[in-house]
Amino acid sequence: MGPQLLLLKSKKMKPKKVGNKEKIISLLRARLDNSGDASTLSGEYVNDDQLALLLGELEVFQLELEMQNDELSASYQLLETERAKFAGFFNRAPVGYFILDHLGLVEEANQTGADLLRISKRDILEKRFQSFIAPEMWELFYGFLHKMQINIGKQNCEIKLLIAGDLKIYTRMEGVAIVNPFTERLQYYITVIDISESRADQQKLIGTAKRLELTLKASGTGTWTMTVATNQVFLDEFSLYLFEINPWEFDGSTRSFISFIHPDDQHLVRQSLSDATHYGGDVEMEFRIVTKSGKTKIVSAKGQQINSAGADSYFAGIVMDITEKTRLIQEAQQRDSEQQRLILAATFKAQENERNKISNALHDSVCQILYGIRLNVQNIQHSQNLNAEFQNINQLLALAITETRELSYKLSPSVLRDYGFKEGIREMIQRLSTSGFKIKSSLDASADLLHPDLQLYVFRMIQELVNNCIKHANATIVKIIVCAEGEWVNVKVSDNGKGFQVGIDESLAKGSGVRSIKNRVFLLNGTMDIDTSKSGTQVIIKFKKDSPALGLSSYS
């Protein structure tokens, strides 16, 4: 039964009854003293019934007092338990707690705070907290106290403490100012956390970031980030400079970022970012940008996805202007190509020279010898009347002469040199056409006006393509079209054969004939498209009449 219940009962008791109780108790005391003096009893007498009633009420009062005492004991025990728990929590908290009065004297501190200051709790009480502040931080600390006075809510600052042994530690303080309801005096409740290690790490990080910034700046490199959840893009100062945009011109959205990219490359960038966002992985892309001044730059962007616990994943990377680098690479590639063309040109020229020598030797020497042998054999045949015996010899000599002339033609077609490109192709068609293999042609008259070396190149390519049709395609019809209009020459050779039995790339790698055609096209800085199927093959070669690699110009 609590004090409120006792108070309620006392209110319900009648005043007269309470007065009677007091009077009866007084008479009972006199009776117990055995005074026997009637004057002492004031003529009043307490009978047994009244005494029994009084004793019953006293027992009730005694029971109520015992219950109240038990409740008070339980409340006290609970209060002590809670106080011990609070004291343990207060002293063993991971941060230092301090209560300062309005002058900065320490009124209370926990054990963590005392350990932080390298001092006992007993020695820190009633000591000015300012004595632990580094002198250069006093102004900041007083400003911290002042902000707590004039502002409602928590205030914070970073203060350097100077403790025993001239040891300096960096701390983060948070606090509020509260008016004590009992003393009506201002008190400061402050928490102190040692941030020396984190500050040292932060300084290292700042130093590293600064060195990285200087390195990136020296190398012409900027940084970018993109949050996966929001697709927000951040460009650092150098990246904005690279794109030649002002900060207020870029709202951070992916759409705004892509708008600065060359229209022909926007799809590539959009697809790369979308794939990286949905499937993860690194970002690596090259694209062009068009600046406000109309200048086109080539930019390389690289990055990787960063996943951190409790935070949104994002992409972080670098962006570089590779315009000059790309130009140098292209120039180097162009020089390499020119060197390869010069080597090929020299090789083909040497081959043609050797072919001419061999062809001339076959035509002017071997063929003449064979003709002489045949004439002598014929004279012997007629003079000795040995027709039957020499018939086989004459046939073999005729075959040898034909084969020699054919070989001489293949090595160096004299018709091409003497009568022009069109006649050279017609001569080839006449030699190769049979009843089961037809060659049709459509030759532009201006083809004869091409430079002789260029005519020879085209002739050799057509010759090789037709030979492939005969050897490999099992074709029955071949069409040759040569068109020389304007500054371009177009050559088209098609057949109705069985097509390539292996892939085009494999054929280019293994077949010496096709590879030779490819080398000639490369030498002429032209293009070659091959379309093959089971119903036939079509090869289209295109190049300019003027070939800088060969030093050729239009010939007339």
Side-chain angles (χ1 to χ4, degrees), residues 3 7 30 35 86 107 119 127 135 165 177 179 190 242 295 297 306 313 335 359 380 393 410 426 436 469 483 509 550:
L7 180 61
S35 60
F86 175 77
E107 294 185 345
I119 193 172
K127 190 171 184 177
V179 177
I190 299 175
L242 174 62
K295 184 178 180 181
K297 297 181 180 180
I306 308 298
S313 61
R335 287 194 298 269
S359 176
I380 296 173
I393 296 175
K410 289 181 179 179
R426 290 193 181 102
C469 295
C483 179
L550 296 177

Side-chain angles (χ1 to χ4, degrees), residues 225-234 252-255 273 277-278:
T225 59
M226 184 184 74
T227 306
V228 175
T230 61
N231 284 336
Q232 286 294 112
V233 179
F234 168 78
S253 65
T254 306
R255 178 178 299 178
L273 293 177
T277 301
H278 289 90

Side-chain angles (χ1 to χ4, degrees), residues 9 39 44 61 75-76 119 154 165 175 184 186 311 314 319 332 337 376 410 413 417 426 428 435 490 535 547 553 556:
K9 283 190 173 185
S39 60
E44 296 185 10
F61 285 143
S75 298
Y76 177 78
I119 193 172
K154 180 174 62 176
E184 296 184 354
L186 188 67
Y314 63 95
V319 57
S337 298
N376 288 321
K410 289 181 179 179
R417 296 195 307 268
R426 290 193 181 102
M428 181 185 67
S435 59
N490 294 280
S535 59
S547 177
S553 59
S556 59

Side-chain angles (χ1 to χ4, degrees), residues 284-303:
E284 186 170 354
M285 53 190 176
E286 293 183 4
F287 53 87
R288 292 166 293 172
I289 61 173
V290 181
T291 64
K292 291 184 292 186
S293 60
K295 184 178 180 181
T296 300
K297 297 181 180 180
I298 303 176
V299 175
S300 172
K302 300 179 180 180

Side-chain angles (χ1 to χ4, degrees), residues 489-500:
V489 177
N490 294 280
V491 179
K492 179 180 177 182
V493 178
S494 59
D495 64 67
N496 64 345
K498 61 183 180 181
F500 284 30

